[in-house]
Amino acid sequence: MEATYRYALNKFGKVQDVTTLSRTDVAYLEPFVCVGCQGRLIAKLGQKMIKHFAHANGQGCAGETYLHNLGKRGFLETNTNCL
């Protein structure tokens, strides 16, 4: 099963993959922001479910916008790192 919100922007504005986070990392990198709607996200690092981000207000955003903005940011970061 794939997480709906696997990526978010950390406090430095960089795309963050929730699967690479530990609880210590969360304390250092939060607050997390949704790539699609700019809403606040919470890192869920439980033992029973896969790691994921969840919207703090309990509501999600449009999946297409989230994926579209994530793709644009990924391209921009990769392009910038190559230059």
Side-chain angles (χ1 to χ4, degrees):
M1 183 176 153
E2 189 70 25
T4 302
Y5 300 104
R6 179 175 169 177
Y7 302 96
L9 300 178
N10 62 30
K11 73 176 180 182
F12 301 108
K14 298 288 184 184
V15 175
Q16 183 67 54
D17 183 346
V18 74
T19 63
T20 65
L21 290 176
S22 68
R23 293 191 191 284
T24 307
D25 296 331
V26 169
Y28 175 69
L29 295 170
E30 64 186 354
F32 297 104
V33 177
C34 179
V35 178
C37 69
Q38 305 304 307
R40 186 168 171 267
L41 295 178
I42 299 170
K44 302 285 189 163
L45 306 178
Q47 298 296 320
K48 292 184 180 183
M49 294 182 64
I50 59 173
K51 293 180 178 182
H52 65 282
F53 287 109
H55 282 83
N57 65 5
Q59 297 181 359
C61 62
E64 183 178 350
T65 302
Y66 168 79
L67 292 174
H68 182 83
N69 287 334
L70 181 61
K72 288 190 331 185
R73 282 191 165 273
F75 176 79
L76 179 62
E77 283 185 20
T78 301
N79 189 36
T80 302
N81 290 338
C82 288
L83 298 177

